[in-house]
Amino acid sequence: MRGAVLMIAALLPFHGVLAQERLGQPIMPVTVPPTDGIAANCLGGVVTGLKPGGDGFLAVRAGPGTNHRMLDRLHSGNDVRICDRRGDWLGIVYGKGYCNDVDRASERARSYAGPCRSGWVHGRWIEVAEAG
């Protein structure tokens, strides 16, 4: 009996890998475009248009598509920075406060790796903030 328990325990990590593959793809980083440090390279946006009677949140995903796993939930009124786009999907940076580290000068596009969170949301639920 003890041998059977050890065999099952040894198979669990493998089973977890198979389950993860079925649930979605690996994380696709959000790419921040280059900037000279003067003009913003990511647009401001806000989560809007969620149905009051719906689930009440916008899923942040690991990549652009519903086949990617959910990383987080945003709600109406949450601010985001839009840095990347793949079709209808937006690569965003978000978090508490203003995520100004996306605007640092960089001559090349780079994967976001700052202190804020990042992920992908469907663009239908994001309104671009007015420049002002």
Side-chain angles (χ1 to χ4, degrees):
M1 177 73 165
R2 186 172 183 205
V5 171
L6 290 175
M7 183 184 295
I8 291 171
L11 291 175
L12 285 178
F14 180 72
H15 175 70
V17 170
L18 290 178
Q20 186 177 18
E21 288 175 0
R22 276 184 260 135
L23 289 175
Q25 301 170 353
I27 292 177
M28 176 184 266
V30 172
T31 301
V32 177
T35 183
D36 58 7
I38 297 170
N41 52 354
C42 297
L43 297 172
V46 64
V47 177
T48 187
L50 300 176
K51 295 178 187 172
D55 52 21
F57 68 88
L58 174 61
V60 179
R61 299 205 173 264
T66 57
N67 58 324
H68 293 271
R69 69 184 167 94
M70 188 169 73
L71 301 174
D72 207 351
R73 297 175 178 191
L74 295 177
H75 298 85
S76 289
N78 287 146
D79 292 321
V80 300
R81 302 293 304 279
I82 306 162
C83 299
D84 203 346
R85 182 181 198 120
R86 300 282 187 276
D88 291 335
W89 290 82
L90 303 176
I92 62 165
V93 173
Y94 63 99
K96 295 189 184 222
Y98 183 74
C99 297
N100 61 358
D101 59 307
V102 298
D103 293 327
R104 71 181 155 113
S106 175
E107 293 178 5
R108 294 182 300 172
R110 66 193 192 288
S111 294
Y112 180 76
C116 295
R117 295 179 178 181
S118 64
W120 296 85
V121 296
H122 195 281
R124 177 178 183 182
W125 311 112
I126 301 294
E127 181 178 312
V128 176
E130 302 261 341

